[in-house]
Amino acid sequence: MTEIQEDRQATAATPARGAPAVPAGPTDGPLTAAELQLSARNHSMPLEALRREVTPPGLHYVLTHFDIPDIDPASWHLLIGGAVERSLELGMAALRRDPAITVPVTLECAGNGRSLLTPRPVSQPWVMEGVGTAYWTGVPLAYLLGKAGVLPNAREVVFTGADSGIQGGVTQRYARSLPIREALRADVVLAYSMNGGDLPPQHGYPLRLVVPGWYGMASVKWLESIEVVTTAFTGYQQAVAYRYQDSADDAGTPVSRIRVRSLMVPPGIPDFLTRNRTLAPGPVLLQGRAWSGGGAVTGVEVGIDGTWLPAQLEKAPGGFAWRRWTLPWVAEPGDYVLSCRATDSTGATQPLGQNWNYQGLGNNMVQQVRVTVSAPS
């Protein structure tokens, strides 16, 4: 089982001789070389892809903590054990013979929006594009747990991937747990297919967990084992990482469901460096997507220089997939700041300012798009 860290205070690895030091905590300084290296490995979804109901695998966001494993599907197998009546060992051929479901799910990285925080927690420097929506096909987790026979005293289910590395000074396999009630939901899937094709290597080939409504850290990739446990799992990615903390000394609370968010397709054409937009005067259809893991999206407002107007919502393709929204706008010459904010059925609404916390998680602050509407020459 994954190693755990007794000291909750994460420690930075010793830098190589001559390498710049990584700040120990949040900083007001520029992006570090380490952050730039992470951003090169982990790519975001271009905002123009919001026009698509389904995100192609190559445009869907990717976050890999360690290295992408090179797995031979012929020798790969999934182990299911722990507090169950019978342990199971399943190869891919056996899994594909089991009943399958297909679930449309919007996945978002819990660190989405981190680079916009002040001071900035040092990690993967997402702006707002760490998101994507796909159709995931595979075996319902509840079906396999039913075959194994979960014991009455089961508390959590631990999922361990094949990827390994060092984080916070701890050598580990990436592992996360779900409460038993979440693991037994009918829509939680062990997926071997993304948008009708095999999982790409970066998305968890040959098998991954997909937990609708939860931030992406819960959807463990390159899955190799599932263990039902009777006590709380205290692995690094559960007890140290992915927690809302006020400071390094704060034990914090665990990150779980996705906070309500909306994003806009930036209208017009971009400046290469700043991404500021230029738009011709006249009618334009502002559009985007909105989603939440806490409840159905019930409304989206679009801000034009601080004046908020209700957008039209379309039907979502699934209970945990984003909804398209649109708003017609007649653009007159000038400079504008366009925004959008969503509300869900729990009454939660996106904040205008940052959701600051020590690890930079769940920052669902309202997006701002700067647009210049140019008069005809």
Side-chain angles (χ1 to χ4, degrees):
M1 185 54 65
T2 303
E3 289 187 45
I4 63 172
Q5 181 172 338
E6 297 298 332
D7 181 2
R8 301 188 59 85
Q9 180 90 13
T11 57
T14 302
R17 185 181 300 275
V22 177
T27 178
D28 290 316
L31 287 175
T32 65
E35 289 172 292
L36 291 173
Q37 182 172 247
L38 281 176
S39 69
R41 286 189 54 84
N42 300 305
H43 74 78
S44 59
M45 182 199 71
L47 288 177
E48 57 269 29
L50 289 165
R51 295 188 180 95
R52 300 169 178 260
E53 181 175 272
V54 178
T55 311
L59 295 180
H60 198 288
Y61 94 94
V62 170
L63 188 286
T64 55
H65 283 74
F66 306 124
D67 287 349
I68 297 172
D70 185 18
I71 297 175
D72 179 3
S75 58
W76 173 92
H77 54 269
L78 176 69
L79 298 175
I80 302 177
V84 295
E85 294 174 358
R86 63 195 68 85
S87 297
L88 303 177
E89 183 173 344
L90 303 165
M92 185 53 64
L95 284 170
R96 287 182 178 271
R97 289 194 296 268
D98 284 330
I101 58 172
T102 297
V103 186
V105 178
T106 296
L107 286 179
E108 181 179 11
C109 185
N112 201 17
R114 177 183 287 120
S115 71
L116 303 175
L117 295 172
T118 304
R120 184 187 76 258
V122 177
S123 185
Q124 167 64 27
W126 294 118
V127 185
M128 290 187 171
E129 299 94 336
V131 67
T133 296
Y135 279 82
W136 305 95
T137 299
V139 183
L141 173 62
Y143 173 80
L144 290 180
L145 292 178
K147 287 180 68 173
V150 174
L151 297 180
N153 60 340
R155 179 171 175 176
E156 295 182 358
V157 182
V158 180
F159 306 87
T160 302
D163 50 327
S164 62
I166 303 169
Q167 189 173 352
V170 179
T171 301
Q172 59 190 275
R173 299 270 295 281
Y174 186 88
R176 289 274 310 180
S177 71
L178 286 175
I180 192 69
R181 66 181 182 279
E182 291 288 321
L184 292 175
R185 285 168 42 192
D187 56 357
V188 175
V189 60
L190 301 178
Y192 46 69
S193 175
M194 180 182 188
N195 294 345
D198 286 344
L199 288 177
Q202 71 273 27
H203 288 291
Y205 181 84
L207 190 75
R208 69 172 295 167
L209 178 68
V210 176
V211 186
W214 282 54
Y215 280 112
M217 79 282 158
S219 295
V220 177
K221 294 182 285 187
W222 310 294
L223 192 61
E224 286 198 337
S225 72
I226 298 173
E227 183 180 7
V228 180
V229 296
T230 57
T231 59
F233 176 60
T234 55
Y236 183 92
Q237 302 295 336
Q238 197 87 22
V240 181
Y242 294 109
R243 301 184 75 84
Y244 294 120
Q245 297 171 279
D246 293 330
S247 67
D249 297 324
D250 175 22
T253 58
V255 174
S256 57
R257 289 183 176 264
I258 297 172
R259 290 173 170 173
V260 62
R261 187 192 285 277
S262 61
L263 289 174
M264 177 185 299
V265 177
I269 58 174
D271 175 76
F272 169 73
L273 183 61
T274 67
R275 309 310 293 178
N276 288 343
R277 314 297 294 191
T278 299
L279 182 65
V284 59
L285 185 67
L286 301 178
Q287 61 175 307
R289 306 278 171 177
W291 62 95
S292 173
V297 172
T298 56
V300 171
E301 298 173 285
V302 177
I304 301 173
D305 281 348
T307 298
W308 294 95
L309 302 170
Q312 178 69 37
L313 278 174
E314 297 183 4
K315 184 178 179 180
F320 291 103
W322 56 25
R323 297 185 70 176
R324 183 173 183 255
W325 60 261
T326 57
L327 179 75
W329 178 43
V330 179
E332 298 180 354
D335 294 323
Y336 298 88
V337 176
L338 306 181
S339 304
C340 55
R341 65 181 179 189
T343 300
D344 69 20
S345 58
T346 71
T349 300
Q350 288 181 259
L352 299 179
Q354 65 181 12
N355 268 319
W356 195 91
N357 55 86
Y358 188 80
Q359 294 188 29
L361 304 171
N363 180 29
N364 63 335
M365 66 187 291
V366 164
Q367 175 194 20
Q368 293 188 338
V369 181
R370 298 186 182 278
V371 174
T372 296
V373 180
S374 298
S377 57

